[in-house]
Amino acid sequence: MFDETEEALLSRTKSSSLFVAIALGASIGLLLPALIVGGLLIGLREPQAAEAALQRDLEAKLDVLVSSLPELLWNLDTVAAREVVAAVMKSPDVVRVTVRDASQGAPFIEMSFPERQKGLSVKGEREIFRGVARIGHLRIEVDDHLSTAALTRQRWLYGATVGGQLLASLALILALLNSRLMRPLRELGRFANDLAQGRFSAQLPAGRKDEIGLLGGHLEHMRDALQQQFDAERALIERLRGMAETVPGVVYQLRLGSDGRFSFAYISEAVKDYFNLSGAKLELSAEPWFEQIAAADRALVRDSLLVSARALTPWQQEFRAHQDDGSERWIYGNAIAQLEPGGSVLWHGFLTDISHQRRDALELVRYRLHLEELVEARTAELADATKAAQAASLAKSAFLANMSHEIRTPMNAIIGLTYLVQSDSTEPAQQQRLQKVADAAEHLLAIINNVLDFSKIEAGKMQLGHSDFNVAQVLDNVASMLAQRANDKGLQVQVEVDKPLTTQILTGDAQRITEILLNFAGNAVKFTDKGGVKLAATIEADLGSALQLRFEVQDSGIGISQEAQARLFQDFEQADSSTTRRYGGTGLGLAICRRLAALMHGEVGVQSSPGLGSRFWFTLKIDKSSMASLAPPAQASRGVAARELLQQFKGTRVLLAEDNAVNQEVAVAMLGSAGLIVDVAGDGQEALRMASEYDYALILMDVQMPLMDGLAATRAIRGSAHGKHTPILAMTANAFAEERQRCLDAGMNDHVAKPVVAEQLFATLHMWLSRNAKHRTL
């Protein structure tokens, strides 16, 4: 460390160097540009002016001789002519004058002073006329050394004058700079150095009101703040030291030096009770501490510390320590490793006496040995019970799958044929009765779906899908599926989606999200007689790789009381019994929505007042997909019936693979009502043959068919030239997720559950026909 004299000398040297740099910079910055500019002005302009003056003087001499010589030359008066020329030769810069007679070859008069030739020659010539007759020729040669000498004297005079003035100004500026800036800066430097050395009693000269005075004031404030911080840190260290001495166990800092030696940077006084060692002794070397460790554990402790040092991982180790009475004490060591500058490693940690825990553990081992005997006996019993439970679970799953298929197959015929008869009938009374049949069938289907979903959730067999989808398209599909029912009641269906969601691709279970939205929106249409229904999706938070989304379904319907809202999402609960009698329902729909949202790490809720409508909402956290964003969807399609949208593909040929004659009739009639041309295959082999002969825009594939089922037929079609990119939609009465996943694994694009709901089928067909048409145009 420097003493005060050396620090002052260093500060002065640095300041002097700065002063010299400023002086040198100012000298160069002021003097050199002035000299260069002045020199350029004199060097460029004055030579031109001197040359022009010399030329004018030469022209004047020519004018004098041309006007004086004609008569003398005509009369051949050489005496008078020589006197005239001699007058011109008196100019010290004239080197030679030559006058020639036009009728003679020799000069009439020629006078010269060769000794005047010291620089560059400038020549001038004129013709001598008497009247209009040329009688002679005149030539004068002058030297420029006199004008050059005058120019040189002018340059030196300018340099001396300007340089002297600038040097005087610079000396004055530097004197002011030294007194007003450099000396105060040296004082600030010494003050800052005192603060760096911890001398907080240092003072600055007072009295300055300029910027340096303000800077000095800031430094004094910094001194006061540093003093307070230093005092606070010292008090904190003392408190921490006191805490370290009072906590149970030993608080320590163990260092492994770059030389491979261990030492304690700090260790609390409790080390005396644990190892009968002093902290001062361990600061030099940790070997006495290692010697107190039992010989069987000593190498283990040292090796575990070295492993922690190499990987900078936490150190945790149990070991034994010798006591003065010959007994052993179990110690638990726990520390965090930290790499220090220079390559050493420092551990911060605790040493705790765990002797009581070890004794308790030995006692527990004895109990464990006894319990293991009991567990082995119970394990055999549980194994038998587990096998029975698994068999029951498989039987239940098989029963549910079979019930789903057996109930949905006739329901498909009921709903489909009712829809077709409704489409063909024009009699109002018959239409009204058919609508009641359709409503009853859809109500029964909803009950079946809810019971099956609730059973799967209760059994823990509900599996979520993970596929790419777009939120805007999901809401559009839901709006399309509700459009016909809403139009029948004179309701408007609106969709509002945050702009980023119109193009963002997400990964999740779009089918379950659609199921929740359809449940909320279906109830909204059911309980609303006028006004409309609005579906909305917003981004609550962007989490980087995922989005926190909020979906809302708002209606202008009958509303719900606060008392009814409290039990609305409970299992088997509805708002009130009168609602059940008027609108129907099992009380499972909203409960299933709550459970589905929980499976997707979300929650549901409602805001409503009687007579003022309701707003049902749910939130989800959904991962972003690695796929590129979609183009923004067309806004005009929202809320339009799916069958109307499907009219743009009128005349498009699709293939239906279905072995049931009634289902064939229903599907062909539905698709035909939407303007599609349908070819029918009675089994999987026939579907494969027809798909290889014609490039269909889309294939509807039943799963359970004779000769070749839908899964095998799909795999074969995907291997053909025409079928690689053709959308294939599964049609099955098995609505379980396992069945849907089997269809997707076989190469199908989507899943349409039986019984087929017309608007849902049309919406799905429109989506995949649109994608296929876009793919074919690329």
Side-chain angles (χ1 to χ4, degrees):
M1 295 179 63
F2 298 108
D3 57 19
E4 296 183 4
T5 305
E6 291 173 331
E7 292 166 0
L9 179 60
L10 179 60
S11 177
R12 188 179 301 112
T13 302
K14 293 181 179 178
S15 300
S16 300
S17 300
L18 177 61
F19 181 77
V20 171
I22 294 175
L24 183 59
S27 301
I28 296 175
L30 293 175
L31 185 59
L32 188 59
L35 293 177
I36 291 175
V37 172
L40 288 175
L41 290 174
I42 297 175
L44 296 177
R45 186 182 66 183
E46 295 304 325
Q48 296 176 357
E51 183 180 353
L54 184 62
Q55 188 66 37
R56 289 193 300 271
D57 184 60
L58 178 60
E59 293 295 329
K61 289 179 174 60
L62 288 171
D63 291 340
V64 170
L65 293 177
V66 167
S67 62
S68 304
L69 290 175
E71 291 298 329
L72 300 177
L73 182 60
W74 178 261
N75 296 322
L76 298 178
D77 187 352
T78 59
V79 176
R82 185 172 294 277
E83 290 179 355
V84 173
V85 172
V88 174
M89 291 294 293
K90 291 180 180 180
S91 296
D93 57 346
V94 179
V95 178
R96 180 179 289 103
V97 176
T98 305
V99 181
R100 294 183 181 274
D101 187 359
S103 61
Q104 299 177 359
F108 173 66
I109 294 174
E110 183 173 15
M111 298 181 67
S112 65
F113 296 102
E115 65 276 9
R116 294 181 179 177
Q117 185 70 41
K118 298 178 180 179
L120 298 177
S121 296
V122 180
K123 300 175 181 179
E125 299 182 4
R126 293 281 183 88
E127 300 295 336
I128 302 174
F129 290 90
R130 188 174 183 272
V132 295
R134 176 179 174 277
I135 62 174
H137 179 77
L138 172 65
R139 180 177 182 180
I140 300 177
E141 181 178 349
V142 298
D143 190 79
D144 68 345
H145 74 279
L146 294 177
S147 60
T148 301
L151 180 60
T152 301
R153 289 191 301 272
Q154 185 177 0
R155 289 175 177 172
W156 280 106
L157 179 60
Y158 173 82
T161 304
V162 173
Q165 292 176 347
L166 290 178
L167 286 175
S169 301
L170 180 60
L172 179 59
I173 292 173
L174 292 178
L176 293 173
L177 179 65
N178 183 55
S179 63
R180 299 298 296 173
L181 180 62
M182 303 311 298
R183 187 181 301 116
L185 285 179
R186 286 194 291 270
E187 293 174 353
L188 292 179
R190 287 191 292 270
F191 182 73
N193 189 66
D194 288 338
L195 297 183
Q197 299 298 323
R199 294 188 288 270
F200 298 113
S201 61
Q203 298 291 332
L204 277 174
R208 296 186 64 97
K209 302 298 183 181
D210 55 8
E211 289 79 0
I212 292 181
L214 293 176
L215 177 58
H218 294 325
L219 286 176
E220 288 181 331
H221 293 159
M222 184 180 72
R223 176 201 58 197
D224 297 338
L226 288 175
Q227 177 72 57
Q228 294 176 1
Q229 183 177 359
F230 179 79
D231 294 340
E233 290 179 353
R234 183 164 53 189
L236 177 61
I237 291 173
E238 293 300 326
R239 286 197 300 272
L240 292 176
R241 187 181 298 274
M243 293 172 59
E245 299 301 334
T246 57
V247 296
V250 179
V251 181
Y252 66 91
Q253 288 180 314
L254 178 64
R255 176 177 287 114
L256 174 60
S258 57
D259 56 357
R261 298 178 59 186
F262 287 92
S263 62
F264 281 93
Y266 170 78
I267 190 164
S268 62
E269 292 301 320
V271 70
K272 294 180 180 179
D273 299 331
Y274 276 62
F275 300 98
N276 196 22
L277 295 170
S278 66
K281 185 176 181 180
L282 294 176
E283 289 180 359
L284 301 176
S285 175
E287 291 304 320
W289 175 71
F290 281 109
E291 293 174 359
Q292 292 292 321
I293 298 174
D297 299 339
R298 194 174 301 157
L300 180 63
V301 172
R302 191 183 295 269
D303 292 341
S304 61
L305 284 169
L306 294 176
V307 171
S308 173
R310 284 192 294 268
L312 292 179
T313 54
W315 176 68
Q316 295 178 342
Q317 186 64 49
E318 295 181 3
F319 57 92
R320 290 163 290 180
H322 295 297
Q323 300 298 301
D324 293 340
D325 58 1
S327 63
E328 290 182 339
R329 172 185 283 182
W330 278 96
I331 305 295
Y332 173 68
N334 184 17
I336 301 297
Q338 174 186 347
L339 184 64
E340 292 186 310
S344 60
V345 178
L346 184 67
W347 286 273
H348 308 264
F350 296 87
L351 295 175
T352 309
D353 187 347
I354 59 170
S355 300
H356 291 291
Q357 292 90 322
R358 293 289 296 188
R359 285 193 293 269
D360 294 341
L362 291 175
E363 188 67 22
L364 287 174
V365 168
R366 287 194 292 269
Y367 280 109
R368 180 177 59 81
L369 294 176
H370 175 66
L371 289 174
E372 285 180 353
E373 297 175 357
L374 298 176
V375 169
E376 288 178 358
R378 294 300 305 272
T379 300
E381 299 175 4
L382 289 175
D384 295 337
T386 300
K387 291 180 181 179
Q390 290 176 346
S393 178
L394 291 175
K396 179 180 178 181
S397 298
F399 173 76
L400 289 176
N402 186 60
M403 286 296 296
S404 173
H405 185 272
E406 294 300 324
I407 294 176
R408 288 172 180 274
T409 299
M411 286 295 298
N412 185 60
I414 294 172
I415 294 177
L417 291 174
T418 302
Y419 174 82
L420 295 177
V421 175
Q422 268 188 301
S423 301
D424 297 337
S425 176
T426 58
E427 185 179 347
Q430 188 175 8
Q431 279 280 352
Q432 190 174 21
R433 292 169 182 169
L434 289 172
Q435 184 61 45
K436 292 180 179 179
V437 174
D439 292 342
E442 290 184 6
H443 179 64
L444 178 59
L445 177 61
I447 293 175
I448 295 170
N449 289 337
N450 288 341
V451 171
L452 292 176
D453 283 345
F454 191 79
S455 299
K456 286 186 287 184
I457 294 174
E458 284 290 307
K461 294 184 175 295
M462 178 65 72
Q463 297 181 356
L464 297 177
H466 293 279
S467 59
D468 293 332
F469 70 96
N470 175 255
V471 170
Q473 292 180 354
V474 169
L475 265 67
D476 283 339
N477 292 337
V478 172
S480 298
M481 285 184 269
L482 294 173
Q484 189 61 49
R485 292 168 56 190
N487 290 338
D488 293 342
K489 298 184 70 173
L491 303 177
Q492 293 183 349
V493 179
Q494 298 179 342
V495 176
E496 291 184 2
V497 181
D498 275 0
K499 187 174 181 180
L501 291 176
T502 59
T503 58
Q504 177 69 54
I505 302 296
L506 302 174
T507 299
D509 196 332
Q511 180 184 4
R512 296 303 176 186
I513 297 175
T514 301
E515 185 175 336
I516 299 175
L517 286 170
L518 277 175
N519 198 305
F520 286 176
N523 286 339
V525 173
K526 181 191 298 185
F527 296 116
T528 302
D529 295 327
K530 61 180 179 179
V533 176
K534 183 174 72 173
L535 286 72
T538 58
I539 299 176
E540 286 190 334
D542 191 334
L543 307 177
S545 61
L547 293 177
Q548 182 75 22
L549 301 184
R550 180 182 177 94
F551 295 87
E552 293 185 354
V553 177
Q554 184 177 359
D555 63 65
S556 55
I558 62 177
I560 308 170
S561 66
Q562 292 293 327
E563 180 183 0
Q565 292 178 34
R567 61 178 186 273
L568 196 59
F569 290 98
Q570 300 301 316
D571 298 339
F572 306 104
E573 289 284 353
Q574 289 186 318
D576 54 50
S577 58
S578 62
T579 302
T580 305
R581 288 192 297 270
R582 178 180 177 185
Y583 296 101
T586 62
L588 282 178
L590 295 180
I592 292 174
C593 291
R594 174 180 59 83
R595 294 187 177 225
L596 288 176
L599 287 174
M600 292 184 282
H601 307 288
E603 56 183 2
V604 299
V606 62
Q607 299 171 353
S608 181
S609 297
L612 299 178
S614 304
R615 177 187 284 111
F616 283 81
W617 59 265
F618 65 98
T619 61
L620 297 176
K621 177 184 176 183
I622 306 179
D623 294 334
K624 295 179 182 178
S625 173
S626 58
M627 291 179 57
S629 298
L630 290 175
Q635 299 296 320
S637 65
R638 290 180 175 171
V640 181
R643 186 169 65 176
E644 298 178 15
L645 295 175
L646 205 55
Q647 292 297 320
Q648 62 180 296
F649 297 103
K650 186 175 182 180
T652 300
R653 186 176 296 274
V654 299
L655 175 62
L656 170 67
E658 172 65 63
D659 63 318
N660 186 284
V662 176
N663 289 340
Q664 287 180 359
E665 178 183 356
V666 171
V668 169
M670 280 187 178
L671 299 176
S673 68
L676 301 178
I677 301 175
V678 185
D679 292 342
V680 179
D683 54 59
Q685 287 186 353
E686 186 177 5
L688 175 60
R689 177 186 60 79
M690 297 175 67
S692 62
E693 294 176 355
Y694 187 84
D695 186 13
Y696 290 99
L698 183 141
I699 300 175
L700 288 166
M701 182 73 70
D702 187 20
V703 175
Q704 298 182 7
M705 292 187 296
L707 299 181
M708 179 184 288
D709 63 19
L711 301 179
T714 298
R715 296 188 187 98
I717 291 173
R718 288 300 185 211
S720 65
H722 286 166
K724 289 183 178 179
H725 304 292
T726 303
I728 302 179
L729 309 185
M731 295 183 65
T732 175
N734 190 339
F736 281 82
E738 294 86 349
E739 180 71 7
R740 184 174 185 271
Q741 190 59 46
R742 288 177 60 210
C743 296
L744 297 178
D745 293 341
M748 298 185 186
N749 299 95
D750 209 338
H751 178 277
V752 179
K754 296 178 183 177
V756 176
V757 179
E759 287 299 313
Q760 184 175 359
L761 173 63
F762 293 153
T764 306
L765 289 173
H766 175 263
M767 178 180 68
W768 286 107
L769 286 174
S770 300
R771 292 186 182 181
N772 190 41
K774 183 178 179 181
H775 174 76
R776 294 190 177 191
T777 58
L778 296 178

